[in-house]
């Protein structure tokens, strides 16, 4: 299995809602990543987990809360988002955190109303 | 031809021609580079990578060239096909920060 899966594919939420994005990989990778991508822009790194511990937080607002329950799963909990948070949220994984090939999931298209 | 403006830079090529997509990277300490292809509605897909101890690497129909002197990376696609139409991103990483930084992207349009 060389795939990163993400659910849901699309999500529409209001500014007072709480929702979660899920990411899963079964490649035995020990590093997992969350990126945010706005239209016509490159992906921007948000968080990096290495061996289930948060390694990098790119000064992301606290309304985004990552969680890595085990080595195969990565969640992104969302609360009190703003319309400008609407974007494609991409999950990726790599063998280790380092100079290593990253595999991306298809993303979750998030719309905040 | 190539155009740069308020939108993604776009490269239009005839089917069967070779394509060259360029990328200027920012950090002279970066020592690993990846080219990604992103089709509409999908996540980025790995195409080819290169480490800083090399200046050229070839894959199937693709070649990456690295010029560290001027911090420039290029992706060459031979015999471009309609399925190559996508947005292409370069990404740089350095073993100091282990963070990937993506370039602005280039849209490749293949004309029949």
């Amino acid at each position: 299995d060389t795939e990163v899966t993400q659910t849901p594919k699309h999500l529409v939420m209001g500014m007072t809602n709480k929702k979660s994005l899920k990411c899963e990989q079964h490649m035995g990778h020990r590093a997992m990543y969350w990126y945010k991508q706005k239209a016509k822009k490159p992906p921007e790194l948000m968080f990096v987990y290495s061996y289930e511990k948060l390694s990098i937080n790119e000064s992301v607002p606290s309304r985004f809360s990552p969680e890595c329950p085990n080595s195969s799963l990565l969640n992104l909990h969302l609360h009190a988002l703003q319309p400008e948070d609407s974007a494609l949220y991409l999950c990726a994984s790599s063998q280790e955190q380092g100079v290593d090939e990253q595999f991306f999931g298809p993303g979750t298209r998030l719309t905040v109303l | 031809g190539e155009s740069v403006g308020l939108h993604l830079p776009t490269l239009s090529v005839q089917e069967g021609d070779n394509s060259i997509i360029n990328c200027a990277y920012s950090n002279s300490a970066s020592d690993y580079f990846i080219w990604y292809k992103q089709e509409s509605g999908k996540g980025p897909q790995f195409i080819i990578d290169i480490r800083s101890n090399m200046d050229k690497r070839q894959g199937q129909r693709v070649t990456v060239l690295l010029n560290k002197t001027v911090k420039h990376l290029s992706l060459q696609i031979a015999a471009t096909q309609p399925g190559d139409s996508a947005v292409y991103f370069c990404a740089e990483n350095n073993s100091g920060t282990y963070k990937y930084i993506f370039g602005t992207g280039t849209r490749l349009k293949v004309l029949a």
Side-chain angles (χ1 to χ4, degrees):
Chain A
D1 185 355
T2 57
E3 203 179 10
V4 176
T5 58
Q6 290 187 244
T7 55
K9 194 171 171 64
H10 300 276
L11 179 62
V12 179
M13 61 186 290
M15 289 190 283
T16 58
N17 292 157
K18 282 186 183 182
K19 296 286 184 185
S20 297
L21 310 184
K22 297 187 183 303
C23 173
E24 191 166 4
Q25 57 87 13
H26 294 288
M27 294 178 278
H29 289 174
R30 303 318 300 263
M32 296 185 77
Y33 309 78
W34 280 116
Y35 287 85
K36 174 182 177 180
Q37 186 177 26
K38 301 284 270 184
K40 296 189 168 75
K41 297 289 186 184
E44 294 178 2
L45 184 65
M46 299 174 72
F47 302 104
V48 181
Y49 272 81
S50 178
Y51 287 84
E52 300 156 53
K53 289 187 168 38
L54 184 64
S55 171
I56 295 176
N57 176 343
E58 287 288 273
S59 302
V60 179
S62 59
R63 57 186 185 268
F64 295 92
S65 175
E67 178 197 18
C68 190
N70 61 55
S71 60
S72 300
L73 291 173
L74 186 66
N75 298 323
L76 186 63
H77 302 299
L78 314 172
H79 175 53
L81 293 195
Q82 304 296 310
E84 59 265 29
D85 296 320
S86 298
L88 181 68
Y89 287 84
L90 293 162
C91 174
S93 71
S94 62
Q95 190 67 42
E96 302 279 342
Q97 182 187 349
V99 287
D100 213 356
E101 179 185 343
Q102 283 191 324
F103 293 81
F104 279 85
T108 293
R109 175 74 58 189
L110 174 68
T111 302
V112 182
L113 300 176
Chain B
E2 187 170 332
S3 64
V4 177
L6 294 177
H7 305 287
L8 272 175
T10 299
L11 177 66
S12 299
V13 298
Q14 286 295 136
E15 182 179 355
D17 287 353
N18 296 334
S19 303
I20 299 176
I21 300 171
N22 296 303
C23 175
Y25 64 92
S26 56
N27 188 347
S28 56
S30 292
D31 51 12
Y32 179 61
F33 305 87
I34 299 178
W35 278 102
Y36 286 98
K37 172 186 180 183
Q38 188 173 24
E39 296 174 279
S40 182
K42 296 185 179 179
Q45 176 189 356
F46 174 92
I47 301 174
I48 191 167
D49 60 358
I50 188 167
R51 297 189 187 271
S52 59
N53 60 353
M54 303 172 72
D55 52 24
K56 180 179 179 179
R57 190 151 188 247
Q58 287 186 289
Q60 189 178 9
R61 267 200 322 119
V62 295
T63 300
V64 56
L65 299 177
L66 175 62
N67 185 329
K68 294 182 287 292
T69 304
V70 294
K71 294 190 288 185
H72 184 266
L73 199 63
S74 69
L75 177 70
Q76 300 177 1
I77 304 173
T80 312
Q81 301 168 0
D84 295 325
S85 293
V87 177
Y88 289 80
F89 292 102
C90 65
E92 60 182 299
N93 188 317
N94 81 70
S95 52
T97 65
Y98 294 137
K99 292 197 297 189
Y100 287 89
I101 298 172
F102 282 72
T104 53
T106 297
R107 182 179 303 282
L108 177 64
K109 284 189 178 176
V110 181
L111 308 172

